[in-house]
Amino acid sequence: MLFVILTSRNAREFVLGQIDRAFAQDPYAGYRILREHAPVCRQPDGSYVLTRYEDIRQVMSDSVSYSSDKHIDFKPRFGDSPLFEHHTTSLVFNDPPVHTRVRRLLGPFFAARTLRQMEGSIGRMVDQLLTQAGLRGQIDIVKDFALVIPLNLIGDLLGVPYEEREPLQRWANLILGALEPVRTASQLAEGNRAVEEFKDYLRDLITRKRARPPGAVDIDVLWALLEASEAGDGLTELEILHNAIFMLNAGHDTTGSLIANGIDLLLRHPESRARLVAEPALMKSAVEEMLRFESPLQIGNRRALRDSLIGGHAIPAGTFLHLVIAAGNRDPLQFPDPEGFDVGREPNRHLAFAHGIHTCAGNSVARIEAQIAFTKILARFPNFSRAGPTIRPHRTRFRVVEELRVDLNA
Ligand code: HEM
């Protein structure tokens, strides 16, 4: 059964895996009904969908009781496949101690000093993109702006040569798309092919990096993981490949969505845009509000390792949990006027970057990219206008914009 209209009466029968296109296009009214009438909603397969802020935060905070490891959950979904290998070998889907080891290695790349250095290069990149875009007048904000910024930044971070970045976007889409609650056999086949192609590409890149004379290799995340492995910290080649793939995917698709969704929000809320143009100092809180209002990663998952109580419901050990971040981020018990888009909202303790040990490692990078992108586009083209509809694919886990044409010089 596909859910066409979710009501207070049928809320308990909601099935995440059967969400239809209309629900996915604008899920927030449905999530409100769930939060109010079935906040801990049992699924036919025994899993639970959580939509209240406090329940989601409780689960994210407690990595001892709730596991991120996906070996059990992904076996029936992916079988023995490249997608299974990938999604069970990247740090986001690992528990300590494997998770701790990889996370520690990534730490220096997100330190405050490194981030300050990135700011200048992001600013120059955004300026260049806007100059080219301004000459064209009308652009697709997704392909010509929102995705280009994080793709280049994450490409630099991982040491992927500029001219080799073109396929990364397609691979990311196919690999992350396989995590959607609803997916087709051909999506799975394409996702598996993308993992293999990505691995082959990285193996070749590593060989080329190793062939360079000593001292001629820039320090990047991929190289740091290789060096740590050679120094005996125990990361296997496969772990290095999958964590690099994850970083590339996690780092650019989500940030691209944040920027594209943010532009869509500013078009839908002209009063907020005018306020930001008049008060650019509000940019930090505006980006937080964009993250809350249209969270790029809408649904996360955990598995209960022990019996527990969530929102008054007894959850047995072994239960799979769907954490609907997008619903928690509009919970009125946490956010006054949660359906209102308020660029000055303070405090704003949203869960868009999760919480606890798996809090997004790249959250500061994503925030800086978005703040610079919005500051510069509003300074140069404060009156940009819509030149087409906001086109979204049928996706539930990620809040993606596929195309959004805007006129910059309006
Ligand atoms: C707006 C952009 C972004 C959003 C909304 C986002 C969201 C998230 C969320 C919700 C998680 C935790 C998932 C879970 O616990 O199940 C996560 C993890 C992660 N993200 Fe991001 N992310 C963004 C950008 C980035 C960027 C730019 C990078 C890297 C440059 C990055 C790297 C990571 C990594 C490495 C993890 C795994 C952390 C861990 O498991 O310890 N993300 N992200």
Side-chain angles (χ1 to χ4, degrees):
M1 176 187 66
L2 289 185
F3 255 104
V4 179
I5 301 173
L6 192 67
T7 66
S8 56
R9 281 164 187 254
N10 66 12
R12 299 206 157 276
E13 293 155 37
F14 170 81
V15 181
L16 187 64
Q18 294 179 356
I19 276 181
D20 69 7
R21 184 169 275 277
F23 187 107
Q25 291 293 307
D26 184 5
Y28 301 109
Y31 287 154
R32 181 174 54 74
I33 289 170
L34 276 180
R35 205 173 44 233
E36 287 171 3
H37 301 283
V40 184
C41 184
R42 193 169 195 283
Q43 302 292 286
D45 63 0
S47 64
Y48 280 82
V49 174
L50 310 186
T51 42
R52 276 195 190 144
Y53 181 93
E54 273 312 324
D55 296 341
I56 296 168
R57 201 167 191 275
Q58 171 196 330
V59 172
M60 286 177 169
S61 310
D62 182 357
S63 60
V64 175
S65 306
Y66 304 103
S67 165
S68 286
D69 187 284
K70 298 291 183 288
H71 280 87
I72 298 175
D73 316 295
F74 286 170
K75 197 68 179 188
R77 187 192 287 204
F78 298 134
D80 261 330
S81 67
L83 278 170
F84 179 76
E85 183 187 273
H86 172 67
H87 287 307
T88 50
T89 315
S90 53
L91 80 161
V92 73
F93 293 149
N94 287 158
D95 290 332
V98 178
H99 168 265
T100 325
R101 203 167 33 127
V102 184
R103 181 88 193 205
R104 208 174 31 235
L105 290 172
L106 296 181
F109 290 92
F110 300 104
R113 210 171 112 247
T114 324
L115 295 176
R116 272 198 301 278
Q117 286 165 358
M118 279 181 197
E119 273 181 43
S121 60
I122 298 171
R124 284 188 293 279
M125 187 207 320
V126 173
D127 278 336
Q128 225 172 45
L129 279 175
L130 288 176
T131 300
Q132 288 162 5
L135 293 174
R136 289 165 59 194
Q138 194 187 102
I139 60 163
D140 173 5
I141 210 74
V142 180
K143 293 193 182 64
D144 300 326
F145 189 64
L147 282 173
V148 187
I149 301 165
L151 182 61
N152 283 321
L153 188 101
I154 199 81
D156 287 348
L157 209 61
L158 275 136
V160 174
Y162 185 77
E163 59 286 359
E164 295 172 15
R165 293 177 188 174
E166 199 262 337
L168 302 180
Q169 169 61 22
R170 190 175 56 83
W171 286 334
N173 242 313
L174 295 171
I175 295 170
L176 294 178
L179 294 175
E180 289 291 335
V182 183
R183 69 218 156 258
T184 62
S186 79
Q187 277 171 323
L188 285 180
E190 285 180 319
N192 279 317
R193 222 176 7 257
V195 175
E196 285 304 305
E197 286 175 14
F198 214 148
K199 274 166 57 186
D200 286 346
Y201 169 73
L202 286 177
R203 280 201 181 101
D204 177 58
L205 182 61
I206 290 171
T207 308
R208 283 184 280 145
K209 278 180 194 277
R210 283 200 166 120
R212 288 186 222 175
V217 181
D218 288 337
I219 303 299
D220 55 55
V221 173
L222 188 55
W223 193 248
L225 293 178
L226 282 168
E227 287 211 310
S229 152
E230 278 157 18
D233 102 312
L235 278 196
T236 63
E237 191 208 38
L238 217 50
E239 285 176 306
I240 293 174
L241 295 178
H242 287 302
N243 278 294
I245 291 176
F246 172 74
M247 286 274 294
L248 274 159
N249 293 347
H252 89 266
D253 227 28
T254 44
T255 313
S257 296
L258 165 61
I259 298 172
N261 279 313
I263 295 287
D264 176 62
L265 281 167
L266 295 180
L267 287 166
R268 277 156 52 198
H269 299 269
E271 70 300 339
S272 299
R273 187 200 329 193
R275 198 172 160 204
L276 270 181
V277 171
E279 294 177 73
L282 284 179
M283 194 51 76
K284 271 192 183 168
S285 61
V287 167
E288 297 310 305
E289 182 67 343
M290 291 165 183
L291 283 159
R292 181 190 75 84
F293 205 78
E294 291 278 25
S295 303
L297 178 61
Q298 301 241 306
I299 303 176
N301 297 102
R302 296 290 187 269
R303 179 175 287 278
L305 294 176
R306 45 173 83 151
D307 294 350
S308 63
L309 207 61
I310 301 178
H313 291 249
I315 303 293
T319 303
F320 191 62
L321 302 167
H322 309 271
L323 315 178
V324 188
I325 293 170
N329 279 344
R330 293 192 184 204
D331 187 335
L333 293 177
Q334 176 64 23
F335 303 98
D337 184 21
E339 304 296 336
F341 177 66
D342 174 5
V343 291
R345 185 182 291 275
E346 293 272 3
N348 190 347
R349 284 188 281 271
H350 62 75
L351 299 170
F353 290 121
H355 181 70
I357 66 164
H358 289 282
T359 297
C360 175
N363 73 84
S364 312
V365 181
R367 285 175 155 126
I368 291 173
E369 287 177 81
Q371 286 163 18
I372 294 176
F374 289 114
T375 303
K376 287 190 179 285
I377 200 169
L378 284 175
R380 284 177 71 164
F381 305 105
N383 301 316
F384 66 79
S385 66
R386 189 181 282 284
T390 301
I391 299 173
R392 296 183 184 276
H394 180 27
R395 291 180 74 172
T396 313
R397 189 177 171 88
F398 294 93
R399 187 73 174 149
V400 178
V401 180
E402 203 163 74
E403 187 184 304
L404 170 52
R405 299 205 68 80
V406 297
D407 255 324
L408 291 174
N409 299 314

